[in-house]
Amino acid sequence: MNENIAALKEAIRLKDSPMKVAHMRLNTRAYRPNIELVRDPVQYGLVEEVAQITDSVEALTSKLNESNTKLRNLESNKKALEEDIAVKTNSLNIDQSQCLRLRKTLVWR
């Protein structure tokens, strides 16, 4: 689970550079000299690229949050099971050390 979380964090981090490049290209196109107020296929492509990267980062972030929630639930369950095992181990020790002696002294008919 920890490897999955690390991989998701790395994937999100790796999306940062392409996002910066796409934003830089859009910004450069917006401030180029003698620009006309026309949106050409390149402009649409850059806007679509930014939207795809944003959607990808949102999906990865959602999966990361889901994985973190599952990890917390697993850790909580592990703790509850460890506490339950400790109680049962203690009960067995009490049974063996104290109750067993009493049972041996009883006469069964």
Side-chain angles (χ1 to χ4, degrees):
M1 184 62 79
N2 287 328
E3 295 86 17
N4 184 26
I5 291 172
L8 286 169
K9 287 180 180 179
E10 180 66 13
I12 290 170
R13 188 189 66 76
L14 290 175
K15 294 290 182 187
D16 190 42
S17 294
M19 180 65 89
K20 286 181 181 177
V21 169
H23 278 294
M24 176 83 101
R25 288 178 181 163
L26 278 172
N27 195 26
T28 302
R29 286 181 60 79
Y31 293 108
R32 65 183 179 200
N34 300 323
I35 186 172
E36 296 178 10
L37 295 177
V38 177
R39 296 189 74 178
D40 57 358
V42 174
Q43 182 79 18
Y44 289 123
L46 286 171
V47 170
E48 180 62 27
E49 182 180 356
V50 169
Q52 287 176 354
I53 293 171
T54 301
D55 290 344
S56 176
V57 169
E58 287 174 359
L60 288 169
T61 302
S62 174
K63 287 189 182 274
L64 177 62
N65 291 336
E66 183 180 317
S67 293
N68 281 326
T69 301
K70 286 181 181 179
L71 180 61
R72 282 192 303 273
N73 288 340
L74 286 171
E75 288 172 347
S76 174
N77 289 342
K78 180 182 174 187
K79 183 179 178 185
L81 288 171
E82 287 173 346
E83 289 173 358
D84 190 41
I85 288 171
V87 167
K88 289 180 180 181
T89 302
N90 188 35
S91 297
L92 283 172
N93 287 337
I94 291 171
D95 188 49
Q96 289 174 350
S97 67
Q98 295 176 4
C99 296
L100 194 58
R101 275 187 287 140
L102 291 173
R103 283 191 209 132
K104 286 181 181 178
T105 61
L106 294 176
V107 178
W108 296 96
R109 293 185 189 194

